[in-house]
Amino acid sequence: MTLENKVVKKFVIPDKFKPVIGAAGFYLVMMGIFIYFAPDVFLDVGMFTAVFLSLPLYIIMGLALVFVTVSGEIDLSFPSIVPLSGLAFALTLPASHYNFGLAFLASVVTGISCGLLNGFLVTKLGFSSLITTLGINFMLIGLTQVLNRGEVRQFGEFDDSPIRRAIVGSWGPIPAQMFWGIGLAVILGFIFNRHQFGIHVHIAGDNPEAGRAMGVNIERVKVLCFVLVGFCCALTSTIGILLNSTYYSTMGEGYLLPVLAAVFVGGTPVTGGRGTIAGLVIGATTVVFINTGVIAVGLDGYYTQLGFGLVIILSLLGHRALSGRLTR
């Protein structure tokens, strides 16, 4: 082997890093465009602080969706699990004399129960996850509306509590929830890439029959992925309620397309078997900045949906340029 071949081989990018590099490259190009057209906005620290208020919510939900997608399934019910688990929190908090632990437990139990329902229907009854979770989405939205009857619940008494300050307060110029979101990404990233469960998730989406032959309980793995979605929805709803000191039954609306876009922009294909947690964080950041960027460059808010579509298509082209397998 010649010295030239050795040098070329040394700089070959491993396949597992290509989605992250593609997502990061696309984000930097997008931000460069935004900074060029609106430097006063995108070079202001206050703008990033404002974006970081909501970014963790998209990251948290997207993290769970990566697990489900890599396992070979899809979950479209998370926009309805968020308000339903949030309603459990909102009802339990005043009933327990503002005991945060009990209210959060009620929210988590509700979210996990929804995840178990999805997992049961998909793995035990063999229903399509796409159609099943879409139906569950409509059903849970209706259930939430029936139980809440459009009431807006406010929790001003909880504003000055130490727990609220720790979860959604300000840690310097950065909102506290940003640290919680990144912390969860680190934990789930370790599980996804290093833990046995993460390996089983990859096997479930890549070659489930081979996994069963090796003794992997594929059905249980997929159920746990759906349960993770329920847990992350409960966490998202809790943070959202604390952030606004208000619960409303439509709080899950507007999450579906941005979160799905974050997953795909981050380099997780719908074919299952492969995905990336770091790419999801970058993808969520890209998607959330679109809302701000579209307005900052002087366009109407109507262009936001167009921006989402362009981001997904252009990011797929970028991933395809790095690794054609991602879009096959």
Side-chain angles (χ1 to χ4, degrees):
M1 182 181 293
T2 64
L3 178 60
E4 182 180 357
N5 290 335
K6 289 182 179 179
V7 173
V8 172
K9 184 176 181 180
K10 182 178 180 180
F11 287 95
V12 172
I13 301 174
D15 288 343
K16 65 179 180 179
F17 295 130
K18 289 181 179 179
V20 179
I21 294 174
F26 186 86
Y27 169 75
L28 292 175
V29 170
M30 183 193 73
M31 289 299 294
I33 295 173
F34 285 158
I35 291 174
Y36 176 80
F37 285 102
D40 294 339
V41 175
F42 283 92
L43 295 180
D44 183 13
V45 176
M47 190 278 296
F48 287 89
T49 301
V51 170
F52 290 163
L53 287 172
S54 61
L55 176 58
L57 305 181
Y58 295 90
I59 290 177
I60 292 171
M61 286 188 290
L63 290 171
L65 216 61
V66 168
F67 277 79
V68 171
T69 306
V70 173
S71 73
E73 305 295 344
I74 191 69
D75 192 338
L76 301 181
S77 67
F78 63 91
S80 63
I81 301 178
V82 170
L84 183 59
S85 58
L87 180 60
F89 181 90
L91 293 175
T92 307
L93 190 63
S96 62
H97 302 287
Y98 290 90
N99 186 316
F100 175 82
L102 287 178
F104 181 63
L105 179 61
S107 179
V108 169
V109 169
T110 302
I112 288 178
S113 298
C114 295
L116 286 172
L117 175 61
N118 283 329
F120 174 80
L121 294 175
V122 172
T123 62
K124 300 301 181 183
L125 300 185
F127 293 165
S128 165
S129 60
L130 176 66
I131 300 174
T132 299
T133 56
L134 182 61
I136 292 294
N137 182 60
F138 286 114
M139 185 185 76
L140 296 184
I141 288 176
L143 177 61
T144 302
Q145 296 288 1
V146 168
L147 294 176
N148 190 55
R149 303 223 173 244
E151 183 177 350
V152 176
R153 304 173 187 272
Q154 297 181 329
F155 307 99
E157 301 88 346
F158 206 62
D159 286 349
D160 296 327
S161 67
I163 293 178
R164 184 180 184 276
R165 289 196 298 269
I167 297 176
V168 296
S170 295
W171 296 5
I174 303 177
Q177 60 265 33
M178 191 65 196
F179 292 97
W180 294 110
I182 295 300
L184 183 63
V186 171
I187 294 173
L188 292 181
F190 174 81
I191 295 174
F192 186 77
N193 294 298
R194 300 293 181 182
H195 193 269
Q196 185 183 59
F197 177 71
I199 297 174
H200 290 175
V201 170
H202 286 82
I203 293 174
D206 186 36
N207 196 335
E209 296 305 323
R212 292 187 181 94
M214 292 186 296
V216 178
N217 190 330
I218 300 298
E219 287 70 26
R220 183 176 64 183
V221 169
K222 292 187 176 185
V223 168
L224 289 176
C225 289
F226 283 110
V227 167
L228 180 60
V229 172
F231 171 79
C232 287
C233 286
L235 185 58
T236 298
S237 66
T238 299
I239 293 176
I241 292 173
L242 293 179
L243 184 61
N244 301 307
S245 297
T246 305
Y247 168 80
Y248 45 95
S249 55
T250 58
M251 65 184 302
E253 293 182 1
Y255 281 127
L256 181 62
L257 291 181
V259 174
L260 289 176
V263 173
F264 301 142
V265 170
T268 298
V270 296
T271 52
R274 60 179 62 90
T276 166
I277 295 297
L280 176 277
V281 175
I282 299 172
T285 305
T286 300
V287 169
V288 172
F289 268 99
I290 290 175
N291 287 315
T292 305
V294 166
I295 303 300
V297 299
L299 298 175
D300 294 330
Y302 302 110
Y303 286 88
T304 301
Q305 298 296 331
L306 176 61
F308 285 149
L310 289 175
V311 162
I312 293 176
I313 299 301
L314 293 176
S315 65
L316 289 178
L317 291 174
H319 291 313
R320 181 61 178 267
L322 288 172
S323 175
R325 292 180 303 171
L326 286 175
T327 54
R328 287 178 187 170

